Amino acid sequence: MPDRIHLHLLSDSTGETLEMLAKAALAQFDDAHVVRHFWPMVRSKQHLDRIVPELKANPGLVLFTLVNAEARARLEEVCAQNGLPAVPILDRVTEALEKALGQEAHGRPGRQHQMDKAYFERVEAIQFTIAHDDGIGWENWEEADILLAGVSRSSKTPTSIYLANRGYKVANIPLVVESPPPPNLYQLRNPMVVGLTTAPERLVQIRRNRLLTLNEKAQTAYVDNERVKSEVAFARRMFADNGWPVIDVTRRSIEETAAAIIRLYQERQSKEGGDFEGVKAI
């Protein structure tokens, strides 16, 4: 086995799709030493020719998403001449869609990033979510798609931002024993309220790390084991009393938590007879 490989990622757009696919595939290999070379916005043969010396100097696997026929032909020619395996990662998906839809793909680069209605809706969702973080703007919660509730450091904010990037308007509120939430939390009709919980032991660890980043060394109730257990129990009782769905984030990544929330949202929309087709556009 080689000590390391060079992985060249060539895209005619931002390369976001290519990077995600490469990352997902690499996650299946342990201790893979991969040197990544990222080449976005490659839309002409001339641009590609400027990259060729780097391909030759660092031979390895080439993954690409190029729709420009001239640039693609040049890349395939260079790879063949230098014995570099080249994989057009979207070809089989595109071909399958062409058969299913009965039409040919247009071959236009960056179409998924066009500034259409879905794009501006996503921008609006991000702005709303930022403005309604940590219990702020509770008067407008009815405008949200999703509201996340949970004790401090239960991943509410990063999960909210991730969901906002998927086009969902999200608000979140920290649950504090001594400070009851606004009464309208229990009267919301439009937003789906989701409770986030976690293991007290894990929560204590996260909070201690947070205090260290703030150079706070004093031991407070914020990281007291019994106190944290009572906070988590308090939140769980609230979730149960109101019939809110609950997600345990102890062993979940932000992406996994968000995926579970989106699934709950889809199910809710389906039950209510809403015109909802999968996750919102990226």
Side-chain angles (χ1 to χ4, degrees):
M1 293 292 291
D3 291 332
R4 68 177 184 175
I5 66 166
H6 289 276
L7 180 63
H8 295 273
L9 306 175
L10 287 84
S11 171
D12 49 23
S13 187
T14 63
E16 180 182 348
T17 301
L18 192 56
E19 279 198 300
M20 287 192 298
L21 287 171
K23 182 178 179 181
L26 285 170
Q28 304 302 316
F29 300 89
D30 296 328
D31 303 321
H33 187 181
V34 178
V35 180
R36 302 190 196 194
H37 304 267
F38 183 48
W39 313 101
M41 308 304 291
V42 181
R43 295 187 176 180
S44 67
K45 178 179 176 293
Q46 292 73 23
H47 188 172
L48 182 60
D49 284 338
R50 295 196 294 271
I51 298 172
V52 169
E54 291 292 333
L55 295 177
K56 293 180 178 180
N58 301 287
L61 176 62
V62 178
L63 305 182
F64 68 91
T65 54
L66 300 177
V67 297
N68 180 279
E70 189 179 22
R72 174 170 175 154
R74 173 60 175 155
L75 175 62
E76 291 175 335
E77 177 188 4
V78 169
C79 288
Q81 290 174 348
N82 292 274
L84 305 178
V87 182
I89 64 168
L90 292 182
D91 274 22
R92 294 191 65 181
V93 177
T94 303
E95 290 168 4
L97 284 171
E98 285 179 332
K99 291 180 180 179
L101 296 172
Q103 59 177 287
E104 291 186 5
H106 294 298
R108 294 187 290 236
R111 285 280 291 175
Q112 72 270 37
H113 300 296
Q114 64 182 342
M115 295 175 67
D116 55 7
K117 181 174 179 288
Y119 173 86
F120 289 107
E121 286 178 348
R122 192 163 71 253
V123 170
E124 183 181 353
I126 293 171
Q127 292 174 334
F128 179 92
T129 300
I130 292 174
H132 295 82
D133 181 41
D134 208 28
I136 298 174
W138 57 267
E139 303 90 346
N140 304 317
W141 280 351
E142 195 62 45
E143 300 174 20
D145 297 312
I146 299 165
L147 188 141
L148 303 181
V151 298
S152 174
R153 315 310 297 178
S154 55
S155 304
K156 297 183 300 300
T157 295
T159 304
S160 296
I161 296 299
Y162 185 92
L163 287 167
N165 275 279
R166 300 298 298 271
Y168 298 92
K169 292 183 178 180
V170 186
N172 73 76
I173 179 174
L175 299 180
V176 182
V177 177
E178 299 84 2
S179 180
N184 75 327
L185 173 63
Y186 309 108
Q187 302 165 1
L188 296 174
R189 298 180 61 84
N190 180 60
M192 179 183 71
V193 182
V194 178
L196 301 185
T197 188
T198 187
E201 300 79 12
R202 175 61 175 159
L203 190 56
V204 169
Q205 182 183 11
I206 293 172
R207 289 184 177 184
R208 282 179 176 162
N209 290 337
R210 172 62 174 167
L211 292 179
L212 286 175
T213 63
L214 299 174
N215 293 320
E216 178 61 60
K217 298 180 181 179
Q219 293 294 313
T220 66
Y222 186 65
V223 293
D224 179 76
N225 287 315
E226 294 305 316
R227 169 67 182 183
V228 172
K229 287 180 181 179
S230 66
E231 282 186 57
V232 173
F234 165 77
R236 281 186 171 277
R237 283 195 302 272
M238 182 181 295
F239 302 153
D241 290 344
N242 290 278
W244 297 331
V246 181
I247 296 176
D248 190 331
V249 303
T250 305
R251 294 180 177 83
R252 292 179 189 262
S253 65
I254 299 302
E255 294 83 356
E256 290 171 330
T257 300
I261 292 170
I262 291 172
R263 186 174 65 252
L264 289 171
Y265 188 81
Q266 290 176 340
E267 292 173 355
R268 180 186 192 233
Q269 293 292 97
S270 178
K271 289 178 181 177
E272 294 178 354
D275 183 15
F276 188 74
E277 300 177 358
V279 298
K280 296 199 176 183
I282 299 176

